[in-house]
Amino acid sequence: MAYETLIVDVEDHVCVIKLNRPEALNALNKQLLEELAEALEDSQKNDKVRCIVLTGSEKAFAAGADIKMMQEKSFSEVFLEDMFTSESERIGRIRKPIIAAVSGYALGGGCELAMMCDFIICSDTAKFGQPEINLGVSAGLGGTQRLTRYVGKSKAMEMNLTGRLMEADEAERCGLVSRVVPVKKLLDEALSAALKISEKSMLTTMAVKEMVNRAHEMPLAEGLRFERRIFHSLFSTEDQKEGMAAFSEKRDAQFRDK
Ligand code: CAA
């Protein structure tokens, strides 16, 4: 499938999706969000793909939702079309792991899109922020909700109320990103993490994604029960027998997703 706002490439079990609207710093318009949801759904269906990397350009992962697209819209229009809901829900339903590789600006919807991924590796040039307040609106794709869960109330409140941008080292310190790497190595580092994930049993990687995400949605006691039952159920797989046999026999495991 050819896309106008994305470059999609599948190699070695990893699908790399590059946001590609350089003229607008990858601002998220309806076309880009729909194409992204479609590309992710294709990756979900493609048996060759075991992990996904979502990235942008060196200057911008994405500078937010497209302001020019939204400027003239009224409340009734955005409410009735339910702006951003179906695309973000489609992205949220992807079960394969998604790594965000962020360089440059990840602002507004760009920061929110990175947070929809399973973890974020960023370059030392990355800048995160929720500057919607400067436009007379609030975040609308998770910037008041996911950011608060990632970095806590105080920082999330400050960023959403002042529009202050956060640099890479602060983002790593407060747990928004898993790692900061030199900008020239960003894609290699993200690909190497994706390749490591691709070598595991997909039964397990998809289950683990679901389990960690439950930590944000459930009380601790329920989450622990959910985790224990999934852990138990993984003993019904051939991959559990293979993984543990490989450890005992001092060899690499050959997982078959069974
Ligand atoms: N929407 C539409 N176009 C955008 C854009 C956006 N979010 N961000 C950048 N662009 C466009 C600019 O208008 C400009 O286009 P023209 O050359 O046609 O004028 C082009 O991208 C390059 O941008 P700049 O010239 O501004 O580049 P810069 O290096 O001087 O500044 C920047 C970079 C600081 C990121 C600045 O572009 C900026 O502040 N962008 C807007 C950031 C923002 O407010 N994001 C939140 C959007 S609202 C949102 O996301 C809501 C939500 O939660 C869902």
XYZ file of all heavy atoms in Angstrom, residues 103-205:
754
model
N 13.127 12.184 17.521
C 14.174 13.208 17.425
C 13.482 14.553 17.235
O 12.416 14.625 16.625
C 15.067 12.876 16.231
O 16.008 13.902 16.041
N 14.079 15.605 17.750
C 13.522 16.946 17.545
C 12.194 17.126 18.280
O 11.972 16.570 19.354
N 11.306 17.886 17.641
C 10.058 18.258 18.324
C 9.056 17.095 18.403
O 8.751 16.466 17.394
C 9.377 19.409 17.581
C 10.178 20.689 17.599
C 10.793 21.168 16.445
C 10.322 21.413 18.785
C 11.536 22.343 16.470
C 11.055 22.589 18.812
C 11.667 23.052 17.659
O 12.395 24.206 17.684
N 8.564 16.858 19.611
C 7.393 15.981 19.819
C 6.441 16.816 20.664
O 6.487 16.798 21.896
C 7.798 14.695 20.532
N 5.622 17.589 19.979
C 4.795 18.585 20.672
C 3.312 18.281 20.486
O 2.905 17.774 19.429
C 5.076 19.985 20.111
C 6.540 20.440 20.117
C 6.644 21.878 19.629
C 7.149 20.315 21.509
N 2.524 18.630 21.487
C 1.084 18.452 21.379
C 0.754 17.026 20.965
O 1.197 16.053 21.594
N -0.005 16.896 19.859
C -0.350 15.564 19.360
C 0.879 14.712 19.049
O 0.794 13.481 19.062
N 2.029 15.333 18.795
C 3.263 14.575 18.529
C 3.762 13.891 19.788
O 4.149 12.714 19.780
N 3.736 14.621 20.900
C 4.121 14.036 22.190
C 3.101 12.956 22.566
O 3.458 11.870 23.043
C 4.149 15.158 23.242
S 4.688 14.640 24.865
N 1.845 13.244 22.288
C 0.776 12.300 22.631
C 0.876 11.027 21.790
O 0.656 9.920 22.282
C -0.582 12.991 22.442
C -0.760 14.148 23.430
C -1.915 15.077 23.065
O -1.942 15.584 21.922
O -2.793 15.286 23.904
N 1.250 11.179 20.519
C 1.420 10.005 19.660
C 2.593 9.155 20.166
O 2.505 7.925 20.223
C 1.661 10.451 18.204
C 1.902 9.356 17.188
C 0.711 8.396 17.113
C 2.182 9.961 15.805
N 3.681 9.807 20.548
C 4.832 9.050 21.082
C 4.401 8.279 22.331
O 4.789 7.117 22.522
C 5.985 10.000 21.389
N 3.570 8.924 23.167
C 3.135 8.248 24.403
C 2.140 7.123 24.134
O 1.947 6.263 24.982
C 2.515 9.261 25.372
C 3.526 10.225 25.959
S 2.846 11.243 27.296
C 1.715 12.309 26.430
N 1.505 7.119 22.945
C 0.614 5.998 22.602
C 1.427 4.754 22.273
O 0.911 3.645 22.250
C -0.229 6.341 21.375
C -1.398 7.228 21.649
S -2.282 7.446 20.073
C -2.650 9.163 20.185
N 2.715 4.952 21.931
C 3.572 3.800 21.626
C 3.938 3.110 22.937
O 3.632 3.602 24.022
C 4.820 4.277 20.890
S 4.426 5.080 19.314
N 4.628 1.958 22.841
C 4.861 1.183 24.057
C 6.049 1.686 24.854
O 6.070 1.571 26.074
C 4.973 -0.294 23.706
C 3.650 -0.743 23.129
O 2.624 -0.496 23.783
O 3.618 -1.251 21.997
N 7.069 2.180 24.179
C 8.091 2.954 24.880
C 8.757 3.892 23.890
O 8.614 3.738 22.676
C 9.107 2.085 25.647
C 9.930 1.123 24.845
C 11.197 1.468 24.388
C 9.459 -0.153 24.559
C 11.971 0.568 23.670
C 10.224 -1.058 23.846
C 11.488 -0.693 23.399
N 9.450 4.883 24.480
C 10.041 5.941 23.661
C 11.558 5.908 23.845
O 12.040 5.963 24.985
C 9.521 7.340 24.091
C 7.987 7.394 24.066
C 10.148 8.435 23.231
C 7.387 8.681 24.650
N 12.273 5.813 22.728
C 13.720 6.069 22.750
C 13.875 7.409 22.042
O 13.273 7.624 20.979
C 14.504 4.971 21.999
C 14.278 3.605 22.674
C 15.990 5.297 21.944
C 14.989 2.441 21.997
N 14.628 8.333 22.644
C 14.739 9.643 21.976
C 16.184 10.030 21.767
O 17.092 9.484 22.393
C 13.971 10.718 22.752
S 14.823 11.370 24.190
N 16.380 10.977 20.867
C 17.718 11.505 20.620
C 18.000 12.623 21.617
O 17.076 13.151 22.252
C 17.798 12.063 19.196
O 17.106 13.290 19.145
N 19.281 12.982 21.695
C 19.652 14.064 22.621
C 19.139 15.425 22.150
O 19.284 16.422 22.850
C 21.179 14.081 22.841
C 21.947 13.923 21.543
O 21.337 14.047 20.452
O 23.169 13.661 21.594
N 18.530 15.485 20.983
C 17.964 16.744 20.485
C 16.441 16.810 20.676
O 15.811 17.762 20.216
C 18.239 16.901 18.979
O 17.576 15.811 18.294
C 19.717 16.863 18.649
N 15.878 15.785 21.311
C 14.402 15.730 21.397
C 13.867 16.801 22.348
O 14.510 17.152 23.348
C 13.966 14.350 21.874
N 12.678 17.286 21.995
C 11.991 18.257 22.863
C 10.524 17.852 22.928
O 9.869 17.717 21.895
C 12.051 19.661 22.263
C 13.403 20.316 22.347
C 13.306 21.730 21.757
C 14.573 22.530 21.946
N 15.769 21.864 21.430
N 10.031 17.654 24.150
C 8.651 17.213 24.353
C 7.847 18.364 24.956
O 8.373 19.134 25.762
C 8.613 16.024 25.312
C 9.353 14.820 24.798
C 10.718 14.667 25.049
C 8.700 13.850 24.052
C 11.414 13.558 24.565
C 9.385 12.743 23.566
C 10.741 12.600 23.823
N 6.580 18.449 24.597
C 5.769 19.494 25.217
C 4.313 19.377 24.843
O 3.940 18.704 23.878
N 3.489 20.038 25.671
C 2.047 20.147 25.412
C 1.728 21.640 25.336
O 1.194 22.219 26.292
C 1.258 19.461 26.537
C 1.530 17.981 26.710
C 1.111 17.090 25.548
O 1.634 16.019 25.365
N 0.170 17.537 24.738
N 2.071 22.274 24.197
C 1.907 23.731 24.114
C 0.524 24.181 23.658
O 0.348 25.348 23.309
C 2.971 24.117 23.073
C 3.052 22.930 22.174
C 2.713 21.716 22.994
N -0.472 23.277 23.682
C -1.811 23.640 23.198
C -2.378 24.853 23.921
O -3.178 25.600 23.363
C -2.780 22.454 23.368
C -2.490 21.253 22.495
C -1.575 20.229 23.146
O -0.828 20.581 24.090
O -1.608 19.066 22.717
N -1.966 25.039 25.176
C -2.476 26.171 25.970
C -2.194 27.508 25.268
O -2.965 28.452 25.375
C -1.841 26.125 27.401
C -2.594 27.017 28.368
C -0.369 26.495 27.410
C -3.574 26.311 29.227
N -1.093 27.551 24.510
C -0.747 28.790 23.778
C -1.706 29.052 22.623
O -1.723 30.143 22.069
C 0.676 28.695 23.212
C 1.706 28.509 24.307
O 1.519 29.012 25.416
N 2.773 27.780 24.021
N -2.461 28.014 22.236
C -3.393 28.153 21.107
C -4.823 28.356 21.592
O -5.762 28.353 20.804
C -3.344 26.883 20.234
C -1.980 26.494 19.657
C -2.031 25.080 19.084
C -1.560 27.489 18.582
N -4.991 28.455 22.905
C -6.342 28.632 23.446
C -7.114 27.333 23.541
O -8.346 27.348 23.660
N -6.404 26.196 23.480
C -7.073 24.905 23.673
C -6.247 24.062 24.651
O -5.177 24.482 25.107
C -7.255 24.116 22.341
C -8.307 24.752 21.455
C -5.936 23.933 21.606
N -6.741 22.865 24.906
C -6.010 21.924 25.766
C -5.483 20.801 24.881
O -5.795 20.741 23.699
C -6.986 21.317 26.774
O -7.926 20.515 26.052
N -4.706 19.920 25.496
C -4.347 18.667 24.828
C -5.627 17.877 24.567
O -6.593 17.999 25.325
C -3.418 17.860 25.719
N -5.608 17.055 23.494
C -6.820 16.297 23.188
C -6.571 14.860 22.794
O -7.493 14.140 22.418
N -5.297 14.432 22.885
C -4.982 13.047 22.498
C -4.218 12.332 23.618
O -3.425 11.438 23.341
C -4.121 13.055 21.225
C -4.840 12.985 19.880
C -3.871 13.291 18.733
C -5.446 11.600 19.672
N -4.437 12.794 24.863
C -3.801 12.101 25.994
C -2.782 12.936 26.766
O -2.190 12.452 27.731
N -2.582 14.173 26.384
C -1.546 14.994 27.021
C -1.814 15.344 28.475
O -0.881 15.595 29.240
N -3.086 15.366 28.874
C -3.344 15.595 30.309
C -3.468 14.256 31.057
O -3.401 14.239 32.280
C -4.655 16.400 30.554
O -5.772 15.598 30.130
C -4.652 17.725 29.805
N -3.648 13.163 30.305
C -3.892 11.869 30.950
C -2.650 10.982 30.934
O -2.118 10.610 31.977
C -5.054 11.154 30.238
C -6.341 11.981 30.232
C -6.824 12.326 31.628
O -7.064 11.425 32.433
N -6.949 13.605 31.941
N -2.165 10.643 29.735
C -0.973 9.770 29.690
C 0.244 10.476 30.269
O 1.027 9.872 30.990
C -0.674 9.321 28.255
C -1.628 8.258 27.750
C -1.049 7.472 26.562
N -2.036 6.520 26.099
C -2.964 6.810 25.177
N -3.006 7.995 24.609
N -3.846 5.893 24.811
N 0.434 11.762 29.949
C 1.629 12.450 30.463
C 1.632 12.435 31.993
O 2.679 12.250 32.617
C 1.691 13.891 29.931
C 3.003 14.612 30.263
C 4.192 13.960 29.562
C 2.931 16.094 29.888
N 0.446 12.606 32.600
C 0.363 12.595 34.064
C 0.769 11.232 34.615
O 1.481 11.132 35.617
C -1.072 12.966 34.508
O -1.418 14.187 33.861
C -1.169 13.140 36.003
N 0.358 10.166 33.910
C 0.749 8.829 34.367
C 2.245 8.606 34.163
O 2.892 7.922 34.946
C -0.053 7.758 33.638
C -1.495 7.652 34.146
C -2.319 6.807 33.190
N -3.537 6.292 33.763
C -4.684 6.963 33.849
N -4.747 8.225 33.447
N -5.761 6.404 34.359
N 2.807 9.146 33.095
C 4.245 8.965 32.837
C 5.103 9.747 33.838
O 6.048 9.218 34.390
C 4.606 9.477 31.433
C 4.504 8.474 30.300
C 3.346 8.360 29.555
C 5.592 7.671 29.957
C 3.249 7.474 28.495
C 5.505 6.784 28.901
C 4.333 6.682 28.176
O 4.247 5.800 27.139
N 4.792 11.042 34.021
C 5.752 11.908 34.733
C 5.216 12.445 36.053
O 5.928 13.162 36.743
C 6.215 13.088 33.839
C 6.738 12.593 32.503
C 5.105 14.122 33.614
N 3.978 12.104 36.409
C 3.412 12.584 37.662
C 2.683 13.912 37.476
O 2.824 14.598 36.467
N 1.891 14.262 38.504
C 0.986 15.410 38.385
C 1.724 16.738 38.222
O 1.361 17.574 37.400
C 0.085 15.477 39.633
C -0.814 16.699 39.622
C -1.714 16.765 40.836
C -2.372 18.140 40.889
N -3.193 18.341 42.058
N 2.788 16.924 39.002
C 3.391 18.247 39.063
C 3.964 18.667 37.705
O 3.681 19.751 37.188
C 4.481 18.223 40.136
O 4.829 19.522 40.470
N 4.780 17.778 37.120
C 5.382 18.102 35.825
C 4.320 18.176 34.725
O 4.363 19.044 33.863
C 6.415 17.035 35.442
C 7.830 17.523 35.622
C 8.819 16.508 35.119
C 10.106 16.545 35.921
N 10.796 17.827 35.888
N 3.357 17.234 34.754
C 2.328 17.228 33.711
C 1.505 18.510 33.800
O 1.176 19.135 32.789
C 1.430 16.005 33.863
N 1.191 18.906 35.016
C 0.392 20.128 35.200
C 1.202 21.327 34.708
O 0.679 22.175 33.974
C 0.051 20.269 36.696
C -0.976 21.312 37.001
S -2.622 20.844 36.407
C -3.336 20.081 37.857
N 2.472 21.391 35.073
C 3.295 22.530 34.655
C 3.382 22.597 33.122
O 3.200 23.658 32.523
C 4.706 22.437 35.256
C 5.532 23.684 34.949
C 7.045 23.485 35.060
O 7.490 22.427 35.528
O 7.764 24.410 34.636
N 3.644 21.434 32.509
C 3.808 21.444 31.043
C 2.506 21.812 30.332
O 2.500 22.551 29.354
C 4.333 20.096 30.558
C 5.801 19.910 30.933
S 6.373 18.283 30.559
C 6.391 18.333 28.776
N 1.394 21.288 30.843
C 0.102 21.580 30.202
C -0.360 23.016 30.476
O -1.040 23.613 29.642
C -0.969 20.589 30.676
C -0.963 19.306 29.857
O -1.457 19.280 28.735
N -0.374 18.247 30.393
N 0.003 23.554 31.650
C -0.458 24.913 31.972
C 0.436 26.004 31.392
O -0.042 27.071 31.026
C -0.543 25.092 33.498
C -1.731 24.421 34.183
C -1.646 24.614 35.699
C -3.053 24.972 33.657
N 1.755 25.727 31.320
C 2.673 26.782 30.835
C 3.082 26.581 29.383
O 3.555 27.510 28.748
C 3.972 26.823 31.669
O 4.697 25.605 31.429
C 3.695 26.984 33.156
N 2.973 25.337 28.892
C 3.451 25.045 27.536
C 4.964 24.876 27.482
O 5.541 24.787 26.388
N 5.616 24.786 28.657
C 7.083 24.629 28.674
C 7.507 23.332 27.984
O 6.865 22.300 28.170
C 7.581 24.602 30.133
C 9.079 24.339 30.269
C 9.545 24.441 31.721
N 9.275 23.271 32.540
C 10.024 22.163 32.557
N 11.077 22.048 31.773
N 9.712 21.155 33.357
N 8.583 23.399 27.206
C 9.092 22.186 26.559
C 10.102 21.495 27.473
O 10.811 22.146 28.241
C 9.755 22.517 25.216
C 8.925 23.313 24.205
C 9.592 23.275 22.833
C 7.497 22.796 24.100
N 10.172 20.188 27.348
C 11.087 19.393 28.166
C 12.178 18.819 27.260
O 11.871 18.235 26.228
C 10.268 18.246 28.775
C 10.977 17.469 29.831
S 10.010 15.990 30.223
C 9.065 16.572 31.583
N 13.415 18.988 27.646
C 14.525 18.459 26.833
C 14.727 16.975 27.157
O 14.196 16.454 28.135
C 15.811 19.228 27.137
C 15.669 20.728 27.054
C 16.299 21.334 25.802
O 17.138 20.651 25.188
O 15.942 22.472 25.462
N 15.580 16.329 26.334
C 15.741 14.875 26.424
C 16.204 14.403 27.802
O 15.676 13.423 28.328
C 16.737 14.415 25.356
N 17.197 15.095 28.399
C 17.722 14.581 29.674
C 16.661 14.625 30.765
O 16.534 13.700 31.570
C 19.019 15.305 30.087
C 18.821 16.807 30.197
O 17.795 17.315 29.680
O 19.673 17.483 30.802
N 15.852 15.681 30.769
C 14.764 15.765 31.761
C 13.724 14.666 31.476
O 13.200 14.043 32.404
C 14.111 17.155 31.705
C 13.057 17.341 32.787
C 12.350 18.703 32.727
O 12.687 19.526 31.865
O 11.436 18.908 33.546
N 13.461 14.423 30.192
C 12.474 13.398 29.822
C 12.927 12.014 30.299
O 12.117 11.202 30.743
C 12.256 13.398 28.312
N 14.228 11.775 30.245
C 14.737 10.480 30.728
C 14.664 10.428 32.254
O 14.236 9.428 32.837
C 16.182 10.259 30.257
C 16.686 8.874 30.640
C 18.106 8.611 30.187
O 18.902 9.568 30.112
O 18.426 7.436 29.925
N 15.078 11.541 32.889
C 15.051 11.592 34.367
C 13.672 11.309 34.922
O 13.520 10.633 35.927
C 15.486 12.988 34.829
C 16.862 13.041 35.393
C 17.221 14.298 36.155
N 16.484 15.509 35.920
C 16.825 16.466 35.063
N 17.890 16.307 34.299
N 16.102 17.556 34.944
N 12.635 11.816 34.266
C 11.295 11.668 34.861
C 10.522 10.489 34.270
O 9.347 10.317 34.567
C 10.515 12.975 34.754
S 10.108 13.434 33.083
N 11.178 9.689 33.442
C 10.546 8.434 33.009
C 9.655 8.551 31.793
O 8.943 7.611 31.453
N 9.698 9.702 31.101
C 8.887 9.812 29.882
C 9.495 8.945 28.774
O 8.771 8.360 27.974
C 8.815 11.286 29.441
C 8.079 11.585 28.149
C 6.643 11.083 28.193
C 8.083 13.096 27.857
N 10.829 8.865 28.743
C 11.488 8.045 27.714
C 12.305 6.968 28.402
O 12.733 7.131 29.542
C 12.406 8.899 26.791
C 11.638 10.057 26.197
C 13.644 9.391 27.511
N 12.522 5.862 27.685
C 13.302 4.785 28.306
C 14.794 5.071 28.195
O 15.566 4.695 29.077
C 12.967 3.443 27.661
O 13.438 3.409 26.339
N 15.207 5.770 27.117
C 16.647 6.010 26.895
C 16.854 7.211 25.998
O 16.044 7.464 25.108
C 17.267 4.819 26.165
C 17.940 3.886 27.090
C 18.586 2.697 26.461
N 17.881 1.977 25.444
C 18.415 1.695 24.252
N 19.599 2.126 23.919
N 17.719 0.973 23.381
N 17.991 7.915 26.200
C 18.409 8.987 25.290
C 19.674 8.515 24.578
O 20.581 7.990 25.220
C 18.749 10.285 26.060
C 19.142 11.392 25.082
C 17.590 10.728 26.925
N 19.708 8.697 23.254
C 20.880 8.255 22.486
C 21.308 9.406 21.562
O 20.521 10.298 21.276
C 20.560 6.984 21.654
C 20.153 5.835 22.554
C 19.462 7.252 20.631
N 22.566 9.367 21.086
C 22.989 10.427 20.161
C 22.109 10.423 18.915
O 21.705 9.358 18.439
C 24.426 10.050 19.808
C 24.868 9.131 20.893
C 23.648 8.418 21.385
N 21.828 11.621 18.404
C 20.850 11.734 17.314
C 21.207 10.857 16.110
O 20.324 10.241 15.504
C 20.637 13.232 16.925
C 21.905 13.874 16.361
C 19.489 13.373 15.949
N 22.492 10.733 15.802
C 22.869 9.947 14.615
C 22.647 8.447 14.826
O 22.675 7.667 13.880
C 24.340 10.194 14.237
C 24.623 11.637 13.836
C 23.923 12.010 12.524
C 24.071 13.477 12.183
N 22.961 14.036 11.397
N 22.512 8.043 16.086
C 22.342 6.606 16.364
C 20.907 6.232 16.661
O 20.609 5.074 16.979
C 23.203 6.221 17.579
C 24.680 6.242 17.320
C 25.365 5.494 18.434
C 26.832 5.305 18.131
N 27.585 4.940 19.320
N 19.986 7.215 16.588
C 18.621 6.972 17.063
C 17.961 5.776 16.385
O 17.471 4.855 17.039
C 17.764 8.238 16.874
C 16.288 8.059 17.240
C 16.125 7.786 18.728
C 15.475 9.285 16.852
N 17.970 5.773 15.056
C 17.249 4.713 14.357
C 17.914 3.360 14.598
O 17.242 2.346 14.811
C 17.135 5.027 12.863
C 16.012 4.276 12.168
C 14.659 4.491 12.842
C 15.915 4.691 10.703
N 19.259 3.332 14.594
C 19.965 2.067 14.845
C 19.605 1.504 16.221
O 19.400 0.299 16.379
C 21.488 2.283 14.800
C 21.967 2.428 13.364
O 21.158 2.156 12.445
O 23.113 2.834 13.163
N 19.564 2.388 17.213
C 19.256 1.923 18.578
C 17.814 1.407 18.648
O 17.547 0.380 19.278
C 19.448 3.062 19.590
C 20.893 3.465 19.784
C 21.692 2.467 20.614
O 21.094 1.634 21.305
O 22.938 2.517 20.534
N 16.901 2.124 18.007
C 15.494 1.684 18.030
C 15.361 0.364 17.282
O 14.651 -0.556 17.725
C 14.599 2.750 17.426
N 16.077 0.245 16.147
C 16.005 -1.006 15.369
C 16.606 -2.155 16.152
O 16.097 -3.275 16.114
C 16.758 -0.837 14.044
C 15.994 -0.067 12.971
C 16.883 0.192 11.762
C 14.748 -0.839 12.543
N 17.686 -1.883 16.854
C 18.304 -2.979 17.591
C 17.378 -3.446 18.725
O 17.248 -4.655 18.970
C 19.699 -2.528 18.025
O 19.957 -2.833 19.316
N 16.675 -2.516 19.384
C 15.685 -2.932 20.399
C 14.557 -3.716 19.727
O 14.097 -4.747 20.245
C 15.131 -1.712 21.120
N 14.127 -3.254 18.550
C 13.021 -3.931 17.847
C 13.450 -5.341 17.417
O 12.659 -6.288 17.496
C 12.595 -3.110 16.633
N 14.698 -5.485 16.992
C 15.178 -6.817 16.582
C 15.228 -7.765 17.773
O 14.873 -8.936 17.660
C 16.564 -6.710 15.936
C 16.542 -6.241 14.478
C 17.952 -5.972 13.971
C 15.845 -7.274 13.577
N 15.647 -7.229 18.924
C 15.663 -8.070 20.139
C 14.257 -8.552 20.450
O 14.039 -9.725 20.768
C 16.182 -7.251 21.326
C 17.654 -7.389 21.521
C 18.069 -6.931 22.912
C 19.556 -6.647 22.867
N 19.898 -5.245 23.082
N 13.285 -7.653 20.356
C 11.890 -8.023 20.642
C 11.417 -9.062 19.621
O 10.733 -10.023 19.964
C 10.993 -6.760 20.624
C 11.349 -5.859 21.803
C 9.511 -7.128 20.636
C 10.720 -4.473 21.754
N 11.846 -8.887 18.364
C 11.408 -9.796 17.288
C 11.883 -11.225 17.491
O 11.312 -12.156 16.940
C 11.953 -9.318 15.941
O 11.487 -8.042 15.688
N 12.977 -11.379 18.261
C 13.500 -12.743 18.485
C 12.700 -13.503 19.537
O 12.848 -14.708 19.684
C 14.963 -12.653 18.961
C 15.920 -12.239 17.865
C 17.256 -11.771 18.434
O 17.477 -11.903 19.663
O 18.060 -11.268 17.624
N 11.875 -12.796 20.308
C 11.120 -13.476 21.370
C 9.876 -14.134 20.773
O 9.525 -13.907 19.620
C 10.654 -12.477 22.435
C 11.639 -11.395 22.823
C 12.851 -11.909 23.546
C 13.770 -10.745 23.940
N 15.170 -11.108 24.024
N 9.199 -14.899 21.606
C 7.922 -15.458 21.184
C 6.902 -14.326 21.104
O 6.749 -13.550 22.060
C 7.441 -16.495 22.200
O 6.076 -16.760 21.963
N 6.201 -14.262 19.971
C 5.214 -13.186 19.838
C 4.032 -13.400 20.787
O 3.346 -12.454 21.164
C 4.745 -13.065 18.396
C 4.433 -11.646 18.023
S 4.613 -11.313 16.293
C 3.439 -12.416 15.589
N 3.798 -14.648 21.177
C 2.755 -14.893 22.179
C 3.097 -14.112 23.444
O 2.231 -13.535 24.100
C 2.692 -16.385 22.537
C 2.312 -17.367 21.434
C 2.458 -18.785 21.940
C 0.884 -17.097 20.980
N 4.383 -14.118 23.771
C 4.804 -13.475 25.018
C 4.887 -11.966 24.859
O 4.467 -11.219 25.742
C 6.162 -14.044 25.476
O 6.185 -15.425 25.201
C 6.382 -13.816 26.942
N 5.437 -11.491 23.730
C 5.579 -10.022 23.605
C 4.198 -9.362 23.577
O 3.992 -8.326 24.208
C 6.404 -9.613 22.362
O 5.793 -10.115 21.178
C 7.831 -10.103 22.452
